[in-house]
Amino acid sequence: MNVPAGSVLTGGCVELLSYEAPASRPSSPLLLSLLVVVAVAERPSLSYDTSAPHTSSPVQQIPIIRDERVHPAADGTYSFDLETGDGIVRHESGGPGGAQQGTVSFTFPDGQVFNLQFVADVNGYQPQSPFLPVAPAFPHPIPAHALEQIERGRLELEARAREEQRQSSSQGQANPSRLYGQPQ
């Protein structure tokens, strides 16, 4: 079926569409000037010397209630305690060799208190919190259907190896095995 350009096929019928461009209006120099002013005024500054643009929504300032720091000593020991007005509490300390330990706590909007303790040392980062996911114990029990498939595969490999052995002995020559296994 040939459908003319500018038409639409709907429900088995061809409907011809027509489009008329709106009548053009002469541009007003005032309108053009206003557009240029708006475009220039809304252009963000690309300079690092200017402050960040302010949004129309109010920004809530959270006070820092406690900020105690012991800057790193020659042996690498340091510590800091930080508490903000919205309930965030952060403590961390470290010692020689790069070992660190600390805590973080804050309150979720639903009222739950999040607590995290951590140690970071030669054994890696070790966080502890009831909010962290816990992996299942391993080794977990293997389902019976999986054990059946493993056994079936083992029996098929043994049968194939026996068949290759039978074929190579009947032909009087040793063919290399296509299966890898323990040395005999």
Side-chain angles (χ1 to χ4, degrees):
M1 168 191 244
N2 289 335
V3 179
S7 60
V8 176
L9 181 62
T10 59
C13 300
V14 175
E15 297 178 16
L16 295 177
L17 300 177
S18 64
Y19 174 75
E20 291 182 25
S24 63
R25 296 182 191 163
S27 0
S28 160
L30 178 62
L31 180 62
L32 184 59
S33 299
L34 285 174
L35 287 174
V36 169
V37 168
V38 169
V40 170
E42 292 296 318
R43 185 182 57 166
S45 172
L46 301 177
S47 170
Y48 288 109
D49 298 329
T50 61
S51 62
H54 296 286
T55 60
S56 60
S57 62
V59 176
Q60 182 182 5
Q61 297 286 329
I62 307 296
I64 295 176
I65 296 172
R66 183 170 37 116
D67 186 0
E68 300 170 2
R69 298 169 189 255
V70 175
H71 293 284
D75 65 352
T77 57
Y78 73 97
S79 69
F80 67 84
D81 285 301
L82 179 71
E83 183 176 356
T84 63
D86 60 354
I88 298 173
V89 178
R90 175 89 163 84
H91 169 76
E92 184 176 318
S93 62
Q100 301 170 346
Q101 58 276 338
T103 60
V104 176
S105 69
F106 60 87
T107 304
F108 286 111
D110 66 0
Q112 293 184 73
V113 177
F114 175 87
N115 286 310
L116 174 94
Q117 295 83 34
F118 69 89
V119 173
D121 57 17
V122 295
N123 297 317
Y125 180 71
Q126 304 152 48
Q128 294 180 358
S129 173
F131 286 91
L132 296 177
V134 177
F138 193 83
H140 53 80
I142 299 175
H145 71 277
L147 291 172
E148 291 169 5
Q149 289 296 318
I150 292 169
E151 180 62 17
R152 180 179 175 190
R154 186 187 65 77
L155 292 173
E156 287 176 359
L157 286 174
E158 286 178 356
R160 191 178 307 147
R162 281 193 303 272
E163 179 63 23
E164 286 179 358
Q165 182 67 29
R166 186 184 62 76
Q167 286 179 355
S168 67
S169 63
S170 67
Q171 294 173 354
Q173 56 184 333
N175 289 333
S177 174
R178 291 183 292 185
L179 304 173
Y180 293 100
Q182 295 285 338
Q184 302 291 334

